Amino acid sequence: MFALLVLVFGGALEELLPKFVGVGFPVLLMSALFVAPRRRAVPAVLFAIAAGGCEDALSALPFAASVCFFSVAALVARTPRASFIAMGCAYPLFEAWLWLWRGAEDVGVFSRMAVAVPVGLVTAPLTAAALLWLERRAAIDE
């Protein structure tokens, strides 16, 4: 139930928060990367698949475009000491991945990646802090 609420509110935040040069705040991606090292492999990957499906639905992306990236990123984030690196590098790489699916847009891929770095670096700790606080309030691991 907690994962479902995170997906619903994360998707809502992604849609409602402002976008800069077409780059929004990656709440669902950061949620998947936060959950990955904190849960066993199967629930973590299932959450990443669900988060990727929500991202595909919200962004009108082709089938499984985000699901593939979110799943691989979650598996990388499960390796020891890679979760912080994955959270910092994932969003610019995701923007490059999306460029492969969307093709030419008004803004180039390098401009989107340049904006994605600070946006991702702001979103990662805020999402992690919010989810950590919510997990404690919901008594998930107790």
Side-chain angles (χ1 to χ4, degrees):
M1 186 53 100
F2 182 75
L4 180 64
L5 289 172
V6 169
L7 291 174
V8 168
F9 285 110
L13 281 173
E14 280 197 8
E15 286 299 309
L16 294 175
L17 290 173
K19 294 178 178 24
F20 305 101
V21 192
V23 175
F25 291 91
V27 178
L28 290 172
L29 176 61
M30 295 306 161
S31 298
L33 294 177
F34 174 78
V35 167
R38 299 175 61 80
R39 301 285 174 255
R40 284 183 262 143
V42 173
V45 172
L46 287 175
F47 183 80
I49 289 170
C54 287
E55 182 73 33
D56 287 339
L58 291 171
S59 303
L61 291 170
F63 177 70
S66 298
V67 171
C68 296
F69 187 88
F70 280 33
S71 300
V72 170
L75 289 173
V76 169
R78 289 191 52 76
T79 60
R81 298 187 196 140
S83 61
F84 293 116
I85 296 169
M87 288 180 99
C89 298
Y91 195 47
L93 293 175
F94 183 59
E95 285 298 325
W97 174 256
L98 290 180
W99 179 78
L100 292 174
W101 288 96
R102 291 183 186 158
E105 293 180 347
D106 293 341
V107 180
V109 65
F110 296 112
S111 299
R112 290 179 67 95
M113 288 176 67
V115 173
V117 170
V119 170
L121 290 176
V122 167
T123 307
L126 291 176
T127 303
L131 290 178
L132 188 61
W133 182 79
L134 288 171
E135 277 186 348
R136 277 189 261 138
R137 298 290 294 173
I140 297 295
D141 289 328
E142 295 186 23

